[in-house]
C-alpha cells in the first residue's frame, strides 16, 4: 500500500531509481523486527511467541491479525452484526473531542486553524497531507472500527485510537491560535507585547482547564497497592528470614521494598 | 516507559508544529511560534485519553510517539527538502508498522510528501 502510494503521488520526482531504492531499503530496515519473529521461533522453538511463525500461512495469519479479524478491531460473533452506524461513531468522536479532550476553545481554535491552513494555495502543499490523513482516518478507520459502543470496555479500547488523530487537531488548534491573535492584533492595532500576552493567557487557561479536569485521573500520591502487596508477601515469613530471588514480578516488588524500607534481601 | 513515550510524543509534536509554523510564515521561529507550538503540544499531552493511558503498558504510547515523529519528519523534509529526513521518515514508517499496524490508517497519506 505504501510503496504504490508514493509511486503514484510522486511519480515525477521518482524518476531516479536510486531515490526509490534508498527509501525502500530504509523502510525495510525499519520493518526488519518482523524477521526477528521468525528467527526467535526457529531458535527458541516458539516458547513465548504467538502463532506458528515457521510456516508461510502461520506468518501471514500473524501479520494480518487474522485470529482477531484483519482490518477490523473486533471479530465479534458475526460479520458486522455489532458494527454501530457510521454517523454514531462520528458523533461519539467529535463530542468526546469537544467536551472532554480539548474543550470548546481548543476545538474552535482547531476549526479556525483548519480553515486558515487550507485557505491559500501557498499553504496547501503542507496542509493537504494533514487533511488527507484526517479524512482517511475518520472514513476508513471509523468504518472498520466495529467495536460496540454500548459496552464501556470496548469504548475504552476505541478511546486509545483517538490520540494519533488528535495530534492533527492539536496542530490545527496551534495554527488557529496563531491566526486568531494575529488577526486581533491587526484589527485592534494591538502591540506585540499584548499579542504575546494573549497567546500566553490562552495557553494557561486551556492547559489549566485540562489539568483541573484530568490531574486526578493519574494522581498516584495515595497509591500504596504495591507496598501493601509486597508486605503481604513478607508477612507470613518469620523474622530474619532469608529470601532468595531469581527474577520475576514478585521479586521486583520485594526489591522495591528493600530500596525504600528496612526489608533485608 | 509508556509515560516516557507519551512525553517524547508531545516533544515531537512541539517540534512538528514549530516546523509547520516556520514553513507557513517563511521566517525563523519567533517567540509567538514557540508559544503556539507549546500550546498544541500541551493541549495534546494533557488531554484525558493521553493523560490516562500514559501509565498503561500498551502499544499506544509508542504508536503515538512514532506518529508524532512522522509528522515532524514530514514537515522538516517539506521545509528543507533534504534527503536524510525522507530516509529517516521511511525508516520510522517501517518501525512504526512493526509496533502497530493502524499507523497506516492515520499517516499513510503523509508518504505522498516524501518526494
Amino acid at each position: 500500500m505504501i510503496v504504490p502510494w508514493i509511486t503514484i503521488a510522486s511519480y515525477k520526482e521518482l524518476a531516479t531509481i536510486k531515490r526509490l531504492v534508498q527509501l525502500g531499503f530504509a523502510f525495510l530496515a525499519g520493518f526488519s523486527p518482523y524477521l526477528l519473529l521468525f528467527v526467535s521461533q526457529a531458535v527458541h522453538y516458539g516458547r513465548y511467541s504467538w502463532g506458528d511463525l515457521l510456516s508461510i500461512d502461520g506468518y501471514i495469519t500473524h501479520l494480518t491479525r487474522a485470529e482477531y479479524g484483519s482490518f477490523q478491531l473486533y471479530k465479534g460473533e458475526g460479520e458486522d452484526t455489532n458494527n454501530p452506524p457510521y454517523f454514531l461513531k462520528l458523533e461519539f468522536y467529535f463530542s468526546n473531542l469537544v467536551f472532554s479532550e480539548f474543550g470548546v476553545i481548543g476545538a474552535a481554535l482547531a476549526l479556525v486553524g483548519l480553515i486558515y491552513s487550507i485557505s491559500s494555495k501557498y499553504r496547501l502543499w503542507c496542509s493537504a497531507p494533514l487533511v488527507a490523513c484526517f479524512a482517511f482516518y475518520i472514513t476508513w478507520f471509523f468504518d472498520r472500527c466495529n467495536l460496540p459502543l454500548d459496552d464501556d470496555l470496548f469504548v475504552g479500547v476505541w478511546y486509545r485510537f483517538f490520540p494519533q488523530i488528535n495530534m492533527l487537531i492539536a496542530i490545527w488548534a496551534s495554527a488557529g491560535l496563531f491566526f486568531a491573535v494575529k488577526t486581533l492584533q491587526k484589527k485592534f492595532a494591538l502591540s506585540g507585547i499584548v499579542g504575546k500576552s494573549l497567546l500566553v493567557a490562552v495557553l494557561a487557561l486551556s492547559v489549566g482547564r485540562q489539568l483541573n479536569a484530568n490531574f486526578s485521573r493519574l494522581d498516584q500520591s495515595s497509591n500504596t497497592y504495591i507496598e501493601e502487596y509486597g508486605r503481604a508477601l513478607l508477612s507470613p515469613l518469620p523474622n530474619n528470614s532469608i529470601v532468595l530471588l531469581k527474577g520475576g514480578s514478585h521479586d521486583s516488588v520485594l526489591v522495591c521494598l528493600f530500596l525504600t524500607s528496612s526489608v533485608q534481601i | 516507559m509508556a509515560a516516557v513515550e507519551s512525553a517524547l510524543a508531545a516533544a515531537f509534536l512541539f517540534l512538528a508544529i514549530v516546523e509547520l509554523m516556520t514553513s507557513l510564515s517563511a521566517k525563523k521561529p519567533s517567540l509567538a511560534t514557540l508559544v503556539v507550538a507549546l500550546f498544541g503540544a500541551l493541549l495534546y499531552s494533557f488531554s484525558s485519553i493521553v493523560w490516562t493511558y500514559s501509565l498503561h503498558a500498551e502499544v499506544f504510547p509508542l504508536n503515538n510517539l512514532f506518529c508524532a515523529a512522522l509528522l515532524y519528519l514530514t514537515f522538516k523534509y517539506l521545509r528543507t527538502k533534504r534527503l536524510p529526513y525522507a530516509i529517516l521518515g521511511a525508516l520510522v514508517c517501517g518501525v512504526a508498522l512493526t509496533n502497530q499496524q493502524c499507523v497506516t490508517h492515520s499517516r499513510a497519506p503523509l508518504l505522498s510528501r516524501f518526494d
Side-chain angles (χ1 to χ4, degrees):
Chain A
M1 178 186 156
I2 294 172
V3 173
W5 176 273
I6 294 174
T7 309
I8 292 166
S10 312
Y11 71 95
K12 286 182 191 173
E13 289 78 16
L14 286 176
T16 54
I17 299 295
K18 184 182 170 186
R19 176 72 64 90
L20 190 59
V21 167
Q22 281 175 325
L23 292 175
F25 268 117
F27 172 76
L28 287 174
F31 205 62
S32 59
Y34 262 118
L35 287 176
L36 193 63
L37 294 176
F38 171 77
V39 171
S40 171
Q41 188 161 78
V43 171
H44 297 292
Y45 303 103
R47 195 172 171 189
Y48 298 118
S49 63
W50 158 36
D52 170 26
L53 296 165
L54 293 178
S55 67
I56 293 177
D57 282 343
Y59 200 86
I60 291 173
T61 300
H62 179 100
L63 198 67
T64 57
R65 294 174 71 248
E67 288 152 350
Y68 288 88
S70 302
F71 298 114
Q72 58 183 3
L73 282 184
Y74 176 57
K75 200 159 188 184
E77 295 166 14
E79 268 296 311
D80 282 327
T81 50
N82 288 324
N83 199 358
Y86 176 71
F87 285 105
L88 192 65
K89 296 182 214 176
L90 275 186
E91 189 210 339
F92 179 75
Y93 169 72
F94 283 108
S95 60
N96 173 261
L97 179 74
V98 172
F99 299 112
S100 176
E101 295 301 291
F102 291 170
V104 176
I105 295 176
L109 285 173
L111 187 60
V112 169
L114 171 63
I115 296 168
Y116 165 66
S117 68
I118 62 176
S119 61
S120 86
K121 217 172 180 181
Y122 171 69
R123 298 181 184 104
L124 198 62
W125 58 269
C126 60
S127 62
L130 296 184
V131 175
C133 284
F134 188 76
F136 186 70
Y137 198 80
I138 65 169
T139 49
W140 165 258
F141 183 73
F142 275 31
D143 178 63
R144 291 287 82 209
C145 177
N146 56 345
L147 292 165
L149 291 178
D150 51 359
D151 189 318
D152 286 344
L153 176 69
F154 292 121
V155 165
V157 172
W158 198 21
Y159 274 150
R160 295 170 215 177
F161 291 95
F162 288 173
Q164 55 187 326
I165 205 66
N166 285 351
M167 279 186 205
L168 305 184
I169 305 291
I171 290 174
W172 285 325
S174 299
L177 177 62
F178 182 82
F179 174 69
V181 170
K182 205 168 99 169
T183 305
L184 285 173
Q185 270 186 290
K186 271 188 193 165
K187 199 169 171 89
F188 298 107
L190 302 173
S191 67
I193 298 286
V194 173
K196 289 184 179 81
S197 304
L198 211 56
L199 285 175
V200 173
V202 172
L203 167 70
L205 276 170
S206 299
V207 173
R209 176 222 153 247
Q210 282 184 307
L211 279 174
N212 183 52
N214 300 325
F215 183 79
S216 56
R217 290 172 197 257
L218 276 190
D219 182 7
Q220 303 294 324
S221 57
S222 57
N223 184 350
T224 56
Y225 295 123
I226 300 295
E227 184 178 1
E228 288 169 26
Y229 174 61
R231 296 206 178 277
L233 286 175
L234 293 175
S235 62
L237 303 175
N239 287 339
N240 300 316
S241 294
I242 296 175
V243 181
L244 301 175
L245 305 179
K246 61 172 184 171
S249 56
H250 303 304
D251 302 339
S252 54
V253 170
L254 296 178
V255 169
C256 286
L257 284 177
F258 164 69
L259 291 171
T260 59
S261 66
S262 60
V263 172
Q264 297 295 315
I265 292 177
Chain B
M1 194 67 196
V4 171
E5 288 158 2
S6 292
L8 285 173
F12 271 115
L13 184 60
F14 171 83
L15 292 172
I17 297 172
V18 169
E19 285 296 323
L20 177 65
M21 299 307 295
T22 306
S23 301
L24 291 180
S25 62
K27 292 178 191 171
K28 284 186 183 170
S30 62
L31 182 62
T33 305
L34 296 176
V35 172
V36 296
L38 191 64
F39 169 74
L42 292 181
L43 196 71
Y44 168 80
S45 55
F46 290 132
S47 60
S48 61
I49 299 174
V50 175
W51 190 243
T52 304
Y53 287 103
S54 290
L55 275 192
H56 289 214
E58 284 268 9
V59 297
F60 300 97
L62 185 58
N63 185 57
N64 296 337
L65 169 58
F66 286 136
C67 288
L70 276 174
L71 280 172
Y72 167 65
L73 289 168
T74 301
F75 294 140
K76 191 77 176 177
Y77 175 73
L78 285 173
R79 194 171 65 82
T80 62
K81 291 291 185 187
R82 289 179 58 197
L83 183 62
Y85 293 116
I87 291 177
L88 204 52
L91 179 73
V92 170
C93 280
V95 178
L97 271 174
T98 63
N99 177 58
Q100 195 182 30
Q101 292 159 354
C102 80
V103 73
T104 58
H105 301 316
S106 65
R107 298 293 182 260
L110 282 183
L111 296 163
S112 67
R113 296 286 88 203
F114 287 107
D115 54 23

